[in-house]
Amino acid sequence: MEVAGEVLQSGSSQELHVLAVDDSYVDRKVIEKLLKISSCKVTAVESGARALQFLGLDGGKGSLGFNGLKVNLIMTDYSMPGMTGYELLKKIKRSSAFREIPVVIMSSENILTRIDSCLEEGAEEFLVKPVKLSDVKRLTKDCVTRGETEGKDGRRVNKRKLEDDNHSSSSSTSSSPSTTASFGCSLDPSELITSPLHSSKRAKLRDRD
Amino acid sequence: MGLVQLQRQLVDYRTSLYDEGFLDEQFTQLQELQDENNPDFVVEVVSLFFEDSERLLNELSKALEQQIIDFKRMDARVHQLKGSSSSIGAQRVRQLCIVFRNYCEAQNREGCQKCLQQVKHEYSIVKTKLESMFQLEQQILNAGGSIPV
């Protein structure tokens, strides 16, 4: 039983395994579909606690120990009862085993301070809900690219290093509500890339034409 | 009614739902996610929305009947309802939830009560309309036709 899981891994090296965390049934179903359409394997759980359990960060062995499927990306809702997405993000980024996994926060509320805090804690991106297929496709494509870059030079830049750097510089850059940290390249705190497109896209789509 | 007429009726009905503000762009997004591998996707998601909403509306009713109202808890429920209505594109319900949350924040009992009535009303309308639309779709499928985009 313990060996079989590892053997399976090699066949699906191209398919990303995404862990989706959301307390809403409706949103879980939608995100699952969005990810499957984007050719990802999905594990959808309803809470931060369940997510930690799955990863084995709660002290138990976790499901990963059994099926050997590495999680390549975590997408979590921000507002959840019990543990928020922000708290989950912190726990993941503070774990040596899982800190490298990109974490994307999703929220229906476009609050600048919230976005900044998430990015400062190491979130890759902050998506305003409802999440669109184009967002998911882009994210998963970036993840695959990042995986390939890693493979090539064997080095990984740890974004957590930001905490050793000057905090003040990272919070002053966000001029637009939705921001992205660049994938897979060395991150200089003064170079945080802001994507003004994200939230304005949402705002535009609210209008019916 | 012939197949062509049924299909036309569906397109008109669907268009009216958007025009009248019952549904927004997000519903279209959901439809675009449906494919041959998962032909009931929209119905399934919408059904989840119905279940979820009914539960939340019940809980909100109970909360407002209490002597002492827990506005924070109510707000959390309305937030959930806002989220799921947003995810399926139930625009009017979503918009009312925004107003509802303001009343929760202001701890305005009367405002909340009025809002709850309005949300229940809008919810039942959109539910009926979506069910009618799904019925039309089923009729088309039963007649051997395909659902127009």
Side-chain angles (χ1 to χ4, degrees), chain A residues 130 132 199-209, chain B residues 18-19 21 23-29 91 94-95:
Chain A
K132 299 205 162 337
S199 60
S200 54
K201 244 193 227 167
R202 298 291 167 284
K204 279 181 194 146
L205 284 167
R206 289 272 178 256
D207 306 329
R208 278 174 293 118
D209 45 31
Chain B
Y18 286 99
D19 288 345
L23 296 179
D24 66 26
E25 152 82 16
Q26 185 57 23
F27 189 78
T28 315
Q29 288 274 318
Q91 188 172 250
R94 175 179 56 80
Q95 289 169 336

Side-chain angles (χ1 to χ4, degrees), chain B residues 96-125:
Chain B
L96 277 170
C97 285
I98 295 172
V99 178
F100 200 156
R101 287 195 79 191
N102 290 335
Y103 283 123
C104 289
E105 219 178 313
Q107 308 212 345
N108 181 336
R109 179 181 227 151
E110 225 182 271
C112 285
Q113 267 162 346
K114 249 199 274 181
C115 245
L116 178 61
Q117 289 323 305
Q118 286 177 302
V119 174
K120 280 180 166 173
H121 180 67
E122 282 301 336
Y123 166 73
S124 79
I125 296 176

Side-chain angles (χ1 to χ4, degrees), chain A residues 23-27 29-30 33-34 37 77 79 81 108-109 114 129-134 205-208, chain B residues 18-19 23 25-26 29-30 33 35 38 41 44-45 48-49 52 79-80 82 84 86-88 91 94 101:
Chain A
D23 60 313
S24 156
Y25 294 134
V26 173
D27 289 353
K29 189 143 177 100
V30 174
K33 185 70 173 163
L34 291 174
I37 287 184
D77 187 28
S79 318
S108 56
E109 290 164 314
R114 177 181 289 190
K129 277 178 158 184
V131 174
K132 299 205 162 337
L133 183 58
S134 50
L205 284 167
R206 289 272 178 256
D207 306 329
R208 278 174 293 118
Chain B
Y18 286 99
D19 288 345
L23 296 179
E25 152 82 16
Q26 185 57 23
Q29 288 274 318
L30 279 191
L33 296 180
D35 55 26
N38 204 176
F41 176 68
E44 284 169 9
V45 178
L48 279 177
F49 166 70
D52 219 29
H79 174 76
Q80 282 183 292
K82 177 175 155 265
S84 54
S86 164
S87 295
I88 70 139
Q91 188 172 250
R94 175 179 56 80
R101 287 195 79 191

Side-chain angles (χ1 to χ4, degrees), chain A residues 108-167:
Chain A
S108 56
E109 290 164 314
N110 203 347
I111 300 171
L112 194 51
T113 48
R114 177 181 289 190
I115 297 169
D116 280 349
S117 328
C118 289
L119 292 178
E120 274 172 34
E121 278 299 327
E124 292 301 326
E125 190 155 345
F126 187 99
L127 291 179
V128 178
K129 277 178 158 184
V131 174
K132 299 205 162 337
L133 183 58
S134 50
D135 292 322
V136 175
K137 281 188 164 164
R138 181 177 46 77
L139 265 179
T140 52
K141 187 168 154 262
D142 286 346
C143 253
V144 171
T145 313
R146 171 197 238 187
E148 286 167 4
T149 315
E150 263 178 67
K152 282 187 186 134
D153 60 17
R155 283 184 306 126
R156 276 292 294 120
V157 179
N158 188 357
K159 287 188 178 59
R160 274 311 269 148
K161 283 209 175 109
L162 271 178
E163 72 181 334
D164 302 330
D165 297 326
N166 202 335
H167 268 276

Side-chain angles (χ1 to χ4, degrees), chain A residues 167-207:
Chain A
H167 268 276
S168 55
S169 53
S170 56
S171 49
S172 60
T173 49
S174 28
S175 50
S176 67
S178 183
T179 50
T180 317
S182 54
F183 271 95
C185 54
S186 59
L187 197 63
D188 186 56
S190 61
E191 272 178 22
L192 271 176
I193 295 166
T194 56
S195 275
L197 294 175
H198 294 138
S199 60
S200 54
K201 244 193 227 167
R202 298 291 167 284
K204 279 181 194 146
L205 284 167
R206 289 272 178 256
D207 306 329

